[in-house]
Amino acid sequence: MSSLSPAVPTAASVPSPSPATPPATAAPAASARVGSARAVSSGPTVAELLDFVRRSAEDAALIASLPLDPEGRTWVRLDGPGGSEAWLIGWPPGTGTGWHDHADSVGAFTTASGTLKEHSLAVRLPSDGWKTLELNEGVDRSRELAAGQGRAFGQNHVHEVLNESDTVHAVSVHAYYPPLPRIRRFSRTGAVLRLEQTERPEDWQ
């Protein structure tokens, strides 16, 4: 079993969407277009992704267009800036992503309505070649993101995003660049983090 020491967080969330096969409620609206931030030739910066998700979260018509399901998360793919991958996601009470990362993509997300909780790890995980890691003390971070609040993150950011409300649906906007090449999913028991599976774009698009 390997051990990871505390490290500086990789950036200033989440799933993120981390969708698998989209539910039927999301299928009719597979794409939407919103205003994009300026993109440079090498792709949008983390700051531009954060600006995009914040402005999108303020678009009342866009947020209202998302089909909501009381039983599970729903999502609609958006046109992100500069070739980025973007999602509008609905979170019923008590739902979450589970622990995951976003490989080499940077990203940002903002809560549009409700409140989301993000738990993250201030470590950089090995890219490959491991199944189980023991985390040192002091690597856990938590934050609540109410409507209008967001965050950006760098490569290999490990987190889980939750709607801990018992009654209120949450909605958020997420963007990633480059478009997600894979998502690694983890389980966690105390200090032990275990790699459970790796998803590819065909698993959620």
Side-chain angles (χ1 to χ4, degrees):
M1 186 178 296
S2 301
S3 179
L4 287 177
S5 300
V8 176
T10 54
S13 154
V14 108
S16 111
S18 305
T21 303
T25 51
S31 180
R33 184 173 298 276
V34 296
S36 63
R38 179 186 61 82
V40 297
S41 58
S42 59
T45 65
V46 172
E48 289 171 326
L49 294 178
L50 184 59
D51 177 66
F52 168 81
V53 297
R54 283 176 169 166
R55 290 188 294 106
S56 299
E58 295 172 353
D59 186 336
L62 175 66
I63 302 309
S65 72
L66 177 67
L68 300 181
D69 184 337
E71 301 300 324
R73 289 190 298 149
T74 54
W75 44 82
V76 172
R77 181 106 184 226
L78 306 177
D79 292 333
S84 62
E85 177 176 342
W87 299 88
L88 176 63
I89 302 180
W91 308 74
T95 57
T97 61
W99 288 97
H100 65 281
D101 72 2
H102 313 92
D104 295 328
S105 297
V106 299
F109 71 96
T110 292
T111 304
S113 65
T115 299
L116 293 174
K117 170 69 73 68
E118 184 200 38
H119 300 296
S120 61
L121 299 178
V123 298
R124 181 177 293 276
L125 299 181
S127 59
D128 290 296
W130 64 277
K131 286 292 185 180
T132 302
L133 292 172
E134 184 173 356
L135 303 169
N136 287 346
E137 294 183 3
V139 300
D140 285 286
R141 304 287 185 269
S142 292
R143 69 179 71 196
E144 282 194 350
L145 298 167
Q149 296 180 323
R151 68 158 302 172
F153 50 83
Q155 296 177 337
N156 304 299
H157 180 65
V158 182
H159 71 169
E160 64 173 350
V161 181
L162 310 165
N163 178 6
E164 295 184 327
S165 172
D166 293 328
T167 58
V168 179
H169 220 105
V171 176
S172 57
V173 184
H174 303 242
Y176 308 93
Y177 187 85
L180 295 172
R182 63 176 180 169
I183 293 173
R184 294 188 297 180
R185 293 194 173 276
F186 312 103
S187 63
R188 180 163 181 197
T189 304
V192 177
L193 191 71
R194 182 181 299 275
L195 175 63
E196 296 292 349
Q197 69 181 92
T198 299
E199 295 179 359
R200 305 290 178 180
E202 57 268 23
D203 295 319
W204 64 77
Q205 296 183 11

